[in-house]
Amino acid sequence: MTIEKNKKMNKGEVTLIERVANEMFLIKIKVAADFEPRAGQFVSILCDNHTMRRPFSIMNFLDGEISILFKKKGDGTAYIANLNVGDTVDFIGPMGNGFQCVSEKTLCVGAGVGVAPVYYLKKVLGENARLIAGFQNSNEIPACLQDEIDFISTDDGSFGAHGSIIDYLDAQINEYKPERICVCGPHIVLKLVAEKAKAHGIPCEVAMEKTMACSIGVCRGCVVTLNRSGKIDNASVCKDGPVFLGEEIVW
Ligand SMILES: Cc1cc2nc3c(=O)[nH]c(=O)nc-3n(C[C@H](O)[C@H](O)[C@H](O)COP(=O)(O)OP(=O)(O)OC[C@H]3O[C@@H](n4cnc5c(N)ncnc54)[C@H](O)[C@@H]3O)c2cc1C
Ligand code: FES
């Protein structure tokens, strides 16, 4: 099934592709036997004849298959959405560092398609994690995840609690009392969650998203500025991340 594997270069076979929400798709790809991803890592997919691979978080890894949840946006994601079961996907990965937490009681926070890597983290942590997520409206909630998310909010109130997931963060923290918070979503959500975590004195890991070109730490197109105990540093999201400590990011 898996056709070849050279270092992190992979080719795998599509075993499932389905629409799970408005313009959102789930794809499963059979991967090599020694493929061992951790939550928060990503794969970079070759999309037809586009030189730049497209990065996607790994949403799950089960029975030798990775799942990816993706939103159709431009040419690259349209190409993936048009793949069929049995087609071959050319990808690099697993890439990046992934979430570092292993045993702490963790509040996993997702927003939109950013729910993917924190869903995987919750799967890995099991009983030691709670997953909460915010979406624009009920049509944006992936059907494959709806029953697996412990608390959902929608901006328009069409499903779950009414409002942004940020509106409910204090209450969730006070009730669940996490030792760590891990978050993925739009930049503003990452920033606000990191600020809330800091206010509560809880370590926070944020999975950053930056437009990527090379995806392998060469072009420096995905740089984020860090402040590590007063020392200003530039890091590549693709190579040094995508997960960073919220308190270290210069927002
Ligand atoms: C670490 C990481 C993980 C991601 N995980 C997911 C995921 O799980 N699901 C999901 O739907 N999306 C994810 N994204 C965003 C996804 O990579 C983009 O939506 C996708 O590359 C858009 O490609 P396109 O050709 O359809 O869109 P276009 O807008 O046509 O893309 C044009 C170019 O910009 C780049 N680009 C555009 N938007 C982004 C972006 N947000 N991040 C990086 N490069 C971008 C593309 O790679 C391409 O080179 C992730 C991004 C990063 C950096
Ligand atoms: S995308 Fe080139 S360094 Fe990260």
Side-chain angles (χ1 to χ4, degrees):
M1 257 230 218
T2 300
I3 298 161
E4 66 179 35
K5 183 174 186 295
N6 177 20
K7 292 184 181 167
K8 287 183 172 180
M9 307 284 290
N10 289 281
K11 286 187 181 176
E13 186 180 307
V14 177
T15 57
L16 179 139
I17 174 111
E18 64 183 17
R19 185 188 289 262
V20 291
N22 184 29
E23 297 299 298
M24 214 188 279
F25 294 79
L26 172 70
I27 186 169
K28 291 189 178 180
I29 304 166
K30 189 86 185 163
V31 292
D34 59 349
F35 191 92
E36 284 180 23
R38 55 185 297 161
Q41 286 190 302
F42 65 97
V43 293
S44 225
I45 297 181
L46 184 66
C47 298
D48 206 8
N49 55 355
H50 293 286
T51 317
M52 305 301 181
R53 290 170 179 269
R54 280 25 175 188
F56 299 94
S57 303
I58 297 167
M59 189 194 87
N60 206 1
F61 177 59
L62 196 63
D63 299 331
E65 294 177 350
I66 53 167
S67 301
I68 293 167
L69 180 74
F70 68 96
K71 187 136 197 184
K72 200 159 118 185
K73 197 176 157 195
D75 282 358
T77 43
Y79 165 81
I80 302 172
N82 280 326
L83 289 172
N84 294 302
V85 169
D87 285 348
T88 298
V89 179
D90 182 319
F91 63 97
I92 305 176
M95 303 180 74
N97 55 358
F99 292 107
Q100 302 305 305
C101 67
V102 282
S103 57
E104 294 106 325
K105 190 178 177 191
T106 302
L107 184 64
C108 302
V109 185
V113 77
V115 71
V118 285
Y119 167 78
Y120 185 17
L121 181 62
K122 180 184 164 163
K123 281 274 168 208
V124 172
L125 294 173
E127 291 300 307
N128 230 10
R130 175 183 286 189
L131 174 60
I132 66 173
F135 301 91
Q136 286 175 351
N137 56 58
S138 58
N139 296 327
E140 299 289 326
I141 304 172
C144 55
L145 297 188
Q146 187 167 313
D147 294 340
E148 310 239 16
I149 302 171
D150 300 308
F151 177 89
I152 293 179
S153 74
T154 49
D155 296 346
D156 66 357
S158 51
F159 187 94
H162 191 171
S164 155
I165 197 66
I166 302 295
D167 299 338
Y168 297 93
L169 204 55
D170 284 325
Q172 287 290 323
I173 291 171
N174 291 333
E175 185 196 323
Y176 187 60
K177 302 192 182 354
E179 295 163 310
R180 186 168 286 253
I181 297 175
C182 292
V183 57
C184 185
H187 189 86
I188 183 65
V189 172
L190 303 185
K191 179 175 185 286
L192 292 172
V193 171
E195 283 171 4
K196 289 260 185 216
K198 193 173 178 188
H200 284 265
I202 302 169
C204 179
E205 294 185 51
V206 300
M208 299 288 287
E209 207 184 275
K210 277 266 184 176
T211 301
M212 290 184 180
C214 74
S215 296
I216 51 170
V218 175
C219 73
R220 303 292 280 164
C222 65
V223 161
V224 62
T225 305
L226 304 180
N227 181 342
R228 288 179 163 148
S229 308
K231 187 173 173 288
I232 302 296
D233 224 355
N234 284 328
S236 300
V237 170
C238 65
K239 188 162 160 276
D240 308 310
V243 180
F244 298 93
L245 285 178
E247 67 202 49
E248 291 186 346
I249 296 197
V250 178
W251 297 101

